Amino acid sequence: MKEKIYIYRAFERFWHWMQSLLIIFLGLTGFEIHGTISFFGYRNAVAYHNIAAYSFIVLIIFAIFWHFATGEWKQYLPTAKNLKAQINFYLFGIFKNAPHPTKRIVLSKLNPLQKLVYLGLKLLVIPVMVFSGLIYMNYRYPQEGGGVEGLNIGSIEPVALFHTAGAFLLLAFVIVHLYLITTGTTITSNLKAMVTGFEETENNEETERLKETENYNDNKQLSEVTNG
Amino acid sequence: MKKIVISLTLFFFIIVFVISSLIPKEREESKLNLLKEKIAQKKAIVHHDHSRYDILKKKFNSPKEVTEACMTCHVEEAREVMKSNHWNWESPQYIKGRGVVYIGKKNAINNFCLGTEGNELACAKCHVGFGMTSSKTFNFKDSTNIDCLICHDNTETYAKAPEKGGAPVATLDLSFVAQNVGAPKRTNCGVCHFFGGGGNNVKHGDLEKSMFEPNKEIDVHMAAEGSNLTCVDCHITKEHNISGQMYSLASSNRNRVYCEECHTETPHEDGILNKHTLKVACQTCHIPIYAKVNATKTFWDWSTAAKLKNGKPYEEDDADGNHTYLSTKGSFKWGKKLKPEYIWFNGTASHYLAGDRIADTTQPLILNPLNGAYSDLDSKIIPVKVMITNQCFDPVYQILSLPKLFSPTPGEGAFWTDFNCLRALDVGMKEIGLPFSGKLSFIETKMNWPVNHMVSTKENSVKCNECHTQNHSRIAGVKGFYMPARDSNSIIETAGFGLILLSLLGVFVHGIVRIYSSYKLKKRG
Ligand code: HEM
């Protein structure tokens, strides 16, 4: 029996789509600044990149707020459980129409591989991008008199290299991520879920059980809950 | 749904706020307009009318008499002139590692006509004095030798005679000129400074006869439909000391003219452009090309000089009428609408002086190395014209050798009359008191001529991606720093593009296998 469950809440979906647009736009303008492509014109690329970057930071602040206010941050706590099973699924099971080793439920919407990758993005790549980007925007050449000494930078090179490396990682992530969208229960079910919030899944006893016994918003045991 | 609406509107407002705070204000235009008004007011000042003085109405028999008449009022001014570089042809300069030296036209070497010593009769056409036959014997203390009119003639009729040690042409109406004097006009400065090196635009590339009456495309400052500035509007002069200096002769960071004096250090509406001004001189972006109208000399080969046809010197010209060969001087190359080269510069320079031993004769010798580096807080990137010359050098003493070039009488060893290289070098070196081994060789020399004029309209200034690009960046050769788009780290690039490629490949292969296996499963099942 098919069943619809509500996985992504409104803000989360809004945040996700804004973030994806901004990252793609930052990537486009960023790689123009980097000299790889030319599309907007260099001067526009710089101006747009800066505007998008500030928007991105605002969005991130909201998202952080939301994650803590709702407790959703716990979704990203890494778990070793089923990690291997998930990798095995993508490498082998998926070709045999094997079931997903981890079921999506409200309380645990991310599979162990996702948890790990998204946590890496949130704790490593995005902060590196934001901080290197902010320094890139606001550093000063060493100069006599005035201003904040702390922002004096002899060479922007290391900052730029971190920023570029992070941009490559994000780009690779976007490519793989776009593909993995199609690996849900059906080709489009993941996409639909992020648009409507609802995911269609095969009815699953355990989900039912969980839904009955656990409070919707109480995510205390989240990290332990994974289906297999 | 409500939440989506609320967060969307919130986000919308934030974006609007951010964008509006980043949108450029109209500040720059008004700043520039204020400046133009200021200039217009300055132009309204009427200069002193000299035609009412009887002493200037008499008939002058010699130019010296004019000077004497001037000095009946302008005693102090004469003293000022006699302190100036225009008079002394030298000034004290500090060169790092060398100390204070007196450098000027008197003793400096360039890679055009090489040096003035021994050739004064011709060179003194551009001296603010009369009667210089030799800078050794010329009386620099005699104020009646001052040529006031070459700078202050406002009739545009005064002119110096060629090869007469600085005397004016004999047929002038000196009385008419003397009654019509005033602040120097472009013509006064231009007759010498546009023709340095013996012809129009030979030396500078950005100072030439099109600058007498330029349009806005040639020079925004001097264009009649622009601010219509004269040279001395920027080269502000106090007590006959004219601000500005040329690093063909100067070494010290002083008495310079800066764009910032009028335009401030943050003239742009765009903060990112203003950030550039700490490291990039205004000229670098605002003079995209020089020699806009007439060609400038870029290469000179002295080694081919002295060829004669039927025992006579000859010349060859290109389509524009520029000499490409002269028996007297050798072969030349010219260039028009040139992109400058770029170099770090902190306002100090060094100089090759006559008699300096050349340490490495396998490398081109830079006659006026400009000092500067990214790490040096005073340095900025500036545009320069680089002049390359193949010139005489003494392989035994390892010094540049200077021939005697000009003499009015044949047989004295002057190259331009006798065409005997070795003899001219022998005589020339003797006149400046340096040894000559009798051996002649040639060495490539380079000179840096900072480009400061021919400022283009802002629409035509250098675009971001003419420098910020991997391919043929204008400042590809300017080293010591990381610049986005021009520079990248090869490890990160390889790893980065490798990663992207692997991701694409992985996704592609995975997808293919998935489609294939689902097709197989369906068939089976
Ligand atoms: C809040 C986040 C970000 C900030 C504050 C930021 C800021 C900047 C700044 C200031 C620059 C230097 C160019 C300039 O002066 O405008 C830059 C360059 C660049 N940015 Fe970002 N950026 C951010 C996020 C991103 C993201 C998400 C990407 C890619 C997906 C990206 C890719 C790039 C690239 C490739 C460059 C060129 C680096 C170089 O060649 O040196 N940026 N960024």
Side-chain angles (χ1 to χ4, degrees):
Chain A
M1 174 192 148
K2 285 236 166 131
E3 188 215 21
K4 272 189 169 182
I5 54 168
Y6 191 54
I7 295 193
Y8 301 116
R9 290 185 239 178
F11 175 80
E12 201 171 14
R13 282 175 279 142
F14 162 75
W15 164 60
H16 170 270
W17 288 114
M18 272 300 164
Q19 169 164 276
S20 62
L21 283 179
L22 283 171
I23 287 183
I24 289 168
F25 188 65
L26 283 163
L28 275 177
T29 49
F31 276 101
E32 176 144 16
I33 295 166
H34 190 58
T36 318
I37 53 174
S38 64
F39 184 66
F40 297 103
Y42 203 87
R43 194 163 170 192
N44 289 338
V46 171
Y48 297 164
H49 195 80
N50 286 355
I51 295 170
Y54 277 120
S55 314
F56 191 39
I57 289 172
V58 171
L59 185 68
I60 288 172
I61 292 169
F62 273 81
I64 291 175
F65 218 76
W66 180 84
H67 275 84
F68 282 100
T70 58
E72 284 289 296
W73 62 277
K74 290 175 197 141
Q75 299 269 11
Y76 299 91
L77 288 178
T79 164
K81 206 173 148 192
N82 284 327
L83 187 58
K84 239 172 107 185
Q86 189 68 34
I87 294 172
N88 272 333
F89 169 75
Y90 283 129
L91 287 181
F92 308 108
I94 191 169
F95 304 121
K96 300 180 195 132
N97 254 354
H100 280 250
T102 48
K103 279 268 152 29
R104 242 184 232 288
I105 54 170
V106 179
L107 300 177
S108 176
K109 60 193 175 201
L110 304 175
N111 74 45
L113 204 55
Q114 281 176 313
K115 279 181 204 259
L116 206 67
V117 171
Y118 294 176
L119 191 70
L121 286 181
K122 279 168 192 265
L123 290 189
L124 206 70
V125 182
I126 303 277
V128 162
M129 292 312 278
V130 171
F131 286 110
S132 60
L134 281 175
I135 297 172
Y136 215 145
M137 249 182 228
N138 296 301
Y139 79 103
R140 318 184 323 152
Y141 300 112
Q143 53 194 273
E144 277 141 26
V148 187
E149 284 289 319
L151 286 175
N152 285 359
I153 277 189
S155 166
I156 194 66
E157 180 158 15
V159 178
L161 295 188
F162 270 107
H163 200 75
T164 311
F168 276 118
L169 283 178
L170 276 177
L171 193 61
F173 168 76
V174 168
I175 293 168
V176 176
H177 186 75
L178 281 174
Y179 172 70
L180 287 181
I181 289 174
T182 67
T183 63
T185 315
T186 67
I187 298 261
T188 54
S189 63
N190 279 342
L191 184 64
K192 275 190 194 142
M194 196 44 95
V195 174
T196 62
F198 287 97
E199 159 119 353
E200 270 185 20
T201 52
E202 293 297 320
N203 194 358
N204 176 291
E205 275 157 33
E206 201 170 349
T207 334
E208 289 293 293
R209 186 183 58 76
L210 274 163
K211 272 175 98 180
E212 276 156 23
T213 55
E214 308 221 357
N215 185 322
Y216 194 79
N217 279 321
D218 177 12
N219 298 339
K220 277 203 187 80
Q221 300 142 10
L222 227 163
S223 56
E224 281 95 41
V225 182
T226 33
N227 290 356
Chain B
M1 199 55 208
K2 221 169 91 193
K3 276 190 212 146
I4 304 185
V5 174
I6 292 171
S7 44
L8 263 177
T9 17
L10 211 80
F11 198 72
F12 176 76
F13 279 117
I14 289 161
I15 292 207
V16 167
F17 172 75
V18 170
I19 292 178
S20 62
S21 69
L22 289 170
I23 278 180
K25 316 280 178 297
E26 278 300 298
R27 206 164 51 94
E28 184 212 27
E29 284 303 327
S30 56
K31 240 179 169 178
L32 207 58
N33 283 339
L34 277 179
L35 200 57
K36 284 177 187 161
E37 272 168 35
K38 219 165 105 187
I39 297 290
Q41 277 163 14
K42 218 174 133 186
K43 297 246 170 228
I45 299 170
V46 181
H47 281 277
H48 196 79
D49 178 11
H50 279 74
S51 62
R52 58 185 171 190
Y53 298 117
D54 288 336
I55 195 166
L56 299 178
K57 286 183 186 150
K58 69 170 191 179
K59 174 152 178 26
F60 294 104
N61 294 316
S62 79
K64 280 195 177 199
E65 282 176 22
V66 182
T67 305
E68 277 159 9
C70 299
M71 287 194 300
T72 53
C73 290
H74 298 288
V75 186
E76 198 49 48
E77 282 78 357
R79 278 194 206 115
E80 291 166 9
V81 170
M82 288 161 78
K83 282 189 221 152
S84 74
N85 304 344
H86 276 101
W87 174 256
N88 286 316
W89 269 15
E90 67 174 14
S91 63
Q93 298 284 344
Y94 174 76
I95 299 183
K96 219 173 145 193
R98 190 160 198 154
V100 175
V101 285
Y102 280 78
I103 314 178
K105 266 179 139 51
K106 256 184 200 169
N107 61 351
I109 293 179
N110 67 30
N111 57 4
F112 292 86
C113 282
L114 311 174
T116 60
E117 265 194 286
N119 307 304
E120 287 89 339
L121 218 42
C123 303
K125 192 180 172 208
C126 286
H127 180 233
V128 291
F130 312 117
M132 187 190 278
T133 48
S134 153
S135 59
K136 288 210 185 70
T137 56
F138 180 75
N139 188 354
F140 285 97
K141 299 250 152 59
D142 180 358
S143 58
T144 62
N145 279 336
I146 297 173
D147 184 353
C148 307
L149 298 181
I150 185 68
C151 298
H152 292 287
D153 159 42
N154 276 184
T155 67
E156 298 186 11
T157 59
Y158 188 84
K160 291 217 187 211
E163 298 161 10
K164 288 279 186 299
V169 287
T171 54
L172 288 173
D173 182 351
L174 290 173
S175 173
F176 171 61
V177 177
Q179 288 172 55
N180 291 286
V181 288
K185 303 205 288 186
R186 284 179 215 157
T187 42
N188 298 91
C189 308
V191 287
C192 288
H193 290 279
F194 294 173
F195 298 90
N200 180 49
N201 210 14
V202 167
K203 274 185 180 170
H204 289 270
D206 60 338
L207 290 175
E208 60 117 354
K209 61 187 181 192
S210 74
M211 295 286 272
F212 283 131
E213 300 288 338
N215 62 28
K216 252 186 145 169
E217 299 300 312
I218 300 171
D219 190 290
V220 280
H221 294 113
M222 292 166 75
E225 80 267 35
S227 298
N228 205 7
L229 296 180
T230 63
C231 307
V232 289
D233 281 332
C234 294
H235 292 271
I236 290 168
T237 304
K238 288 207 183 86
E239 298 171 358
H240 284 86
N241 172 33
I242 298 170
S243 63
Q245 52 178 5
M246 195 61 201
Y247 285 90
S248 48
L249 299 172
S251 310
S252 320
N253 189 9
R254 60 155 198 238
N255 202 34
R256 292 171 73 186
V257 176
Y258 295 98
C259 314
E260 288 89 336
E261 288 163 28
C262 289
H263 290 285
T264 76
E265 276 163 27
T266 52
H268 309 100
E269 58 191 55
D270 179 341
I272 293 170
L273 291 185
N274 281 338
K275 241 177 136 173
H276 282 69
T277 61
L278 200 66
K279 291 286 181 195
V280 183
C282 308
Q283 297 94 313
T284 302
C285 300
H286 290 281
I287 310 177
I289 50 167
Y290 64 97
K292 286 179 180 172
V293 182
N294 295 299
T296 184
K297 200 171 274 185
T298 56
F299 174 77
W300 186 324
D301 187 358
W302 276 97
S303 72
T304 60
K307 281 191 262 180
L308 301 176
K309 265 186 191 156
N310 308 323
K312 286 215 168 62
Y314 67 98
E315 64 174 65
E316 282 164 7
D317 295 347
D318 66 13
D320 288 339
N322 298 307
H323 302 312
T324 52
Y325 181 77
L326 286 175
S327 302
T328 48
K329 298 180 176 179
S331 355
F332 314 112
K333 283 186 192 143
W334 298 77
K336 209 160 46 175
K337 300 199 166 99
L338 296 170
K339 273 190 197 178
E341 297 185 30
Y342 300 91
I343 187 170
W344 283 113
F345 184 45
N346 65 11
T348 69
S350 180
H351 290 279
Y352 178 90
L353 297 181
D356 285 352
R357 227 182 123 88
I358 303 163
D360 182 1
T361 53
T362 61
Q363 296 290 320
L365 172 70
I366 301 170
L367 294 182
N368 65 334
L370 304 184
N371 303 323
Y374 170 76
S375 52
D376 173 356
L377 296 194
D378 296 327
S379 293
K380 291 188 185 189
I381 297 170
I382 62 153
V384 291
K385 171 194 164 181
V386 175
M387 172 69 191
I388 298 175
T389 292
N390 202 18
Q391 75 187 73
C392 314
F393 116 96
D394 187 326
V396 178
Y397 290 110
Q398 305 227 322
I399 58 176
L400 289 186
S401 25
L402 302 172
K404 180 171 177 72
L405 294 175
F406 176 78
S407 165
T409 36
E412 286 184 352
F415 186 67
W416 290 349
T417 38
D418 301 350
F419 296 102
N420 182 335
C421 295
L422 293 177
R423 172 100 203 281
L425 287 168
D426 196 35
V427 177
M429 291 305 267
K430 247 189 215 115
E431 276 190 21
I432 57 177
L434 284 171
F436 176 56
S437 69
K439 293 239 157 42
L440 168 61
S441 181
F442 289 89
I443 187 171
E444 185 176 301
T445 61
K446 285 187 177 179
M447 265 188 106
N448 299 307
W449 290 74
V451 175
N452 294 313
H453 307 92
M454 293 198 172
V455 175
S456 287
T457 56
K458 77 175 177 204
E459 292 76 24
N460 286 326
S461 51
V462 173
K463 300 286 169 297
C464 307
N465 65 353
E466 292 182 50
C467 293
H468 288 279
T469 171
Q470 296 165 1
N471 316 313
H472 313 295
S473 168
R474 274 184 185 253
I475 61 170
V478 185
K479 292 279 151 48
F481 66 104
Y482 175 90
M483 189 173 80
R486 183 191 70 169
D487 300 323
S488 56
N489 177 298
S490 60
I491 298 174
I492 290 184
E493 294 303 291
T494 319
F497 283 111
L499 183 67
I500 302 297
L501 217 71
L502 280 181
S503 307
L504 286 171
L505 205 73
V507 160
F508 184 72
V509 171
H510 199 276
I512 295 284
V513 176
R514 243 174 89 209
I515 294 167
Y516 176 71
S517 54
S518 78
Y519 168 76
K520 249 179 40 186
L521 281 177
K522 232 181 249 158
K523 230 168 86 177
R524 220 185 286 158

